[in-house]
């Protein structure tokens, strides 16, 4: 659904072609030099159990989730670079700006998020 790169790291949101609140899957993946270093959730599971999705009046879209005490937010900006933000339990924030591709705003993605129960429009 979405990907962006920073140096040797590639961040991606991957989904099944069909999703519903109790079927299909969404995964956040991070690869470094082509090697998978993080997959959340580890096993493919319905998205509603793990993710939240939001759209904003300026056209931006975001997907968020918690993993090992960190709040992750993937932001796909309609005008500008995308980013991945990590907020840890101590309130420390790391934000990685990357070349996003404005795919979280596509009708196909919005339909998937709605069908999965993540987006109420």
């Amino acid at each position: 659904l979405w990907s962006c790169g920073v140096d040797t790291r590639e961040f991606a949101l991957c989904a099944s072609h069909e999703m519903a609140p109790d079927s299909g899957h969404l995964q956040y993946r991070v690869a470094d030099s082509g090697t998978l270093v993080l997959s959340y959730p580890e096993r493919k599971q319905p998205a509603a159990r793990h993710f939240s999705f939001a759209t904003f009046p300026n056209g931006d879209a975001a997907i968020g989730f918690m993993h090992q005490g960190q709040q992750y937010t993937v932001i796909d900006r309609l005008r500008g670079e995308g980013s991945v933000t990590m907020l840890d339990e101590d309130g420390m924030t790391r934000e990685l700006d990357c070349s996003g591709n404005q795919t979280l705003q596509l009708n196909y993605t919005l339909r998937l998020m709605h069908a999965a129960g993540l987006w109420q429009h």
Side-chain angles (χ1 to χ4, degrees):
L1 290 179
W2 177 89
S3 67
C4 76
V6 177
D7 299 325
T8 62
R9 290 233 162 175
E10 185 73 21
F11 304 88
L13 288 166
C14 304
S16 55
H17 290 287
E18 297 293 328
M19 292 197 304
D22 58 354
S23 65
H25 70 273
L26 177 65
Q27 280 186 317
Y28 172 76
R29 298 176 185 163
V30 180
D32 192 358
S33 299
T35 302
L36 187 66
V37 295
L38 173 67
S39 182
Y40 176 82
E42 250 182 67
R43 292 179 295 111
K44 295 176 180 177
Q45 298 178 30
R49 297 179 189 159
H50 302 281
F51 295 93
S52 61
F53 178 78
T55 56
F56 302 95
N58 65 359
D60 294 353
I63 290 183
F65 62 94
M66 289 290 295
H67 177 62
Q68 296 181 347
Q70 288 193 332
Q71 173 66 44
Y72 288 75
T73 306
V74 171
I75 300 173
D76 196 12
R77 290 182 179 84
L78 186 60
R79 293 169 187 85
E81 300 294 315
S83 68
V84 177
T85 302
M86 292 144 290
L87 173 64
D88 68 23
E89 296 169 327
D90 298 328
M92 299 296 296
T93 301
R94 272 191 359 221
E95 183 171 1
L96 303 171
D97 290 327
C98 54
S99 56
N101 50 18
Q102 290 90 27
T103 55
L104 294 184
Q105 297 91 346
L106 294 176
N107 287 337
Y108 172 78
T109 304
L110 295 175
R111 183 186 63 77
L112 278 178
M113 296 300 114
H114 181 72
L118 297 178
W119 185 51
Q120 310 302 317
H121 178 70

